[in-house]
Amino acid sequence: MTKIRPDGFHNPYPAYSLRLPEDLTGVTLRQLAVQHRAAEEAAGVMSGIVAALDGAHAPVTYERATHVDALGHVNDIVLAYWLDAEAENAWSAEHPLDSWADPDLTAKGGPIGLWTEVLRAPVDHFETSYSYDSPSWGLASRFPTALNIYHSYSGAMRDRIAAAEDGGLVGEAESVETERVDSAGRHLVVATPANLCFIRSPQGWTHCPDEERAWFEQRVLPVYRQGVDYLTANPREAGCLSARLADLTVSNDTKVQTATLAWFLSLSHLERWTHSHPTHLAIYKSAGELIARFAPDIHVTLGHEVYVVPEGALMEYLNCHEQTGLLPYFPASSRVPS
């Protein structure tokens, strides 16, 4: 396989990736969510979901986050990780989406929507990158890190994904059209193309010294939010089907408090935005100015997990509004209640 890293390139700052065991074959990341405008009922539903995660076939780790979407609905989300595909399949069979809440709550006109978005990625279809050597969010709660020289140049993300080298992992869909899908009171399953790309990107700054924290809040964070806003408002142009900027409410890492959770049509679509779009170039510029000001003693927490899903992802939505997740973009079929 051919690396893109230029000969003689010197990394301007250190970065780290997970040191994975040789016997690891893949990872499943499942988002489980309650969409609502009724906090009391939603809290009870979420409590049941969390309780199920501590039972048989439990994930190896999970965290919780909250996102308020464009229509003003609160989405309480669990980010659950499995390293054993059979365990995740068994958990899914034991806890189908329509069993999470009383049917009266998810009937048409009911106050609760449920959704789950599931990716299953072989080990050569994902990569990790961190700005510090001791992360504990996401997969980093299970594995140690090591210095990684493949970063801070155009194409570095592809160099870190073994199957993506030499132009691999081409997306099945280059573009999408949107349509309204009425999911009120319905349990819909969305059929997705292969090689969708998902990124979980955290941010953390509350633990920083006062000057660095103020710099990040005033000069970097607004620029970052503008980039996420662009992705949310321009799915066809950006090839980003869903971008949720969420506040972590239960985190494995005290240095992280927010996370962007985004689906792109392909790794190439993610690369196009990161390499050339003005909103992401502005993020690079503002982050670079922070690094130049505070290096080498930088405390702001940055990084990501990136996955390319080779066989498509599982997307289910029950009584959710029509702009939820990937509902507007791909064919949806009704699921018979379990």
Side-chain angles (χ1 to χ4, degrees), residues 6 15 28 34 62 74 91 127 135 137 155 162 168 179 188 194 211-212 338:
T28 297
V34 180
Y62 65 85
V74 177
W91 188 93
E127 60 94 358
W137 60 271
E179 62 178 88
L188 298 178
E211 184 182 359
E212 185 181 352
S338 58

Side-chain angles (χ1 to χ4, degrees), residues 14 81 92 137 155 197 216 223-224 248 272 293:
Y81 293 79
S92 179
W137 60 271
C197 180
F216 184 83
V223 178
Y224 182 84
L248 293 176
R272 289 172 202 167
R293 170 64 182 82

Side-chain angles (χ1 to χ4, degrees), residues 4-23:
I4 301 171
R5 187 179 194 267
D7 292 339
F9 179 79
H10 295 284
N11 300 110
Y13 49 85
Y16 305 84
S17 293
L18 293 184
R19 191 166 68 245
L20 301 172
E22 293 183 0
D23 61 351

Side-chain angles (χ1 to χ4, degrees), residues 6-309:
D7 292 339
F9 179 79
H10 295 284
N11 300 110
Y13 49 85
Y16 305 84
S17 293
L18 293 184
R19 191 166 68 245
L20 301 172
E22 293 183 0
D23 61 351
L24 181 67
T25 59
V27 170
T28 297
L29 170 56
R30 176 185 280 266
Q31 296 182 76
L32 313 107
V34 180
Q35 183 182 94
H36 64 91
R37 285 180 169 172
E40 184 174 347
E41 290 92 340
V45 175
M46 180 55 71
S47 294
I49 295 171
V50 171
L53 292 172
D54 290 328
H57 312 297
V60 295
T61 188
Y62 65 85
E63 297 163 85
R64 294 177 58 181
T66 296
H67 165 70
V68 179
D69 62 36
L71 296 188
H73 291 254
V74 177
N75 293 258
D76 292 325
I77 306 168
V78 174
L79 297 155
Y81 293 79
W82 280 263
L83 305 180
D84 181 338
E86 292 184 1
E88 188 275 326
N89 283 330
W91 188 93
S92 179
E94 293 169 2
H95 305 283
L97 183 72
D98 54 18
S99 72
W100 298 358
D102 188 297
D104 289 341
L105 295 176
T106 57
K108 189 171 183 177
I112 298 297
L114 304 172
W115 58 263
T116 186
E117 296 175 355
V118 188
L119 67 83
R120 301 180 177 100
V123 71
D124 63 351
H125 283 59
F126 70 88
E127 60 94 358
T128 59
S129 184
Y130 311 95
S131 63
Y132 58 124
D133 63 358
S134 56
S136 52
W137 60 271
L139 282 179
S141 67
R142 307 300 299 178
F143 304 111
T145 63
L147 273 170
N148 191 322
I149 64 170
Y150 298 106
H151 69 89
S152 64
Y153 58 89
S154 181
M157 183 165 53
R158 191 169 289 269
D159 273 355
R160 295 190 298 268
I161 302 176
E165 295 178 24
D166 300 324
L169 300 182
V170 177
E172 278 191 350
E174 179 59 30
S175 62
V176 291
E177 297 296 328
T178 59
E179 62 178 88
R180 178 170 178 169
V181 180
D182 183 7
S183 65
R186 302 169 66 198
H187 183 173
L188 298 178
V189 180
V190 173
T192 59
N195 290 343
L196 289 183
C197 180
F198 178 83
I199 181 169
R200 177 184 177 183
S201 179
Q203 302 84 41
W205 63 94
T206 58
H207 62 287
C208 295
D210 290 346
E211 184 182 359
E212 185 181 352
R213 176 177 177 174
W215 185 292
F216 184 83
E217 290 179 338
Q218 297 168 16
R219 305 190 189 196
V220 181
L221 190 58
V223 178
Y224 182 84
R225 287 177 171 157
Q226 287 172 5
V228 178
D229 289 345
Y230 162 77
L231 294 175
T232 302
N234 298 277
R236 281 180 286 182
E237 178 184 333
C240 181
L241 308 177
S242 174
R244 300 177 174 112
L245 183 54
D247 293 322
L248 293 176
T249 56
V250 177
S251 176
N252 295 324
D253 196 327
T254 59
K255 293 183 178 180
V256 177
Q257 66 254 30
T258 66
T260 301
L261 311 168
W263 285 102
F264 285 80
L265 274 171
S266 70
L267 180 62
S268 294
H269 285 84
L270 173 57
E271 289 177 311
R272 289 172 202 167
W273 178 62
T274 58
H275 295 168
S276 61
H277 195 271
T279 57
H280 200 273
L281 295 179
I283 294 171
Y284 270 145
K285 181 175 183 293
S286 64
E289 290 169 348
L290 181 144
I291 291 170
R293 170 64 182 82
F294 295 100
D297 191 23
I298 300 171
H299 298 82
V300 168
T301 299
L302 302 170
H304 63 246
E305 298 172 349
V306 171
Y307 304 84
V308 181
V309 189

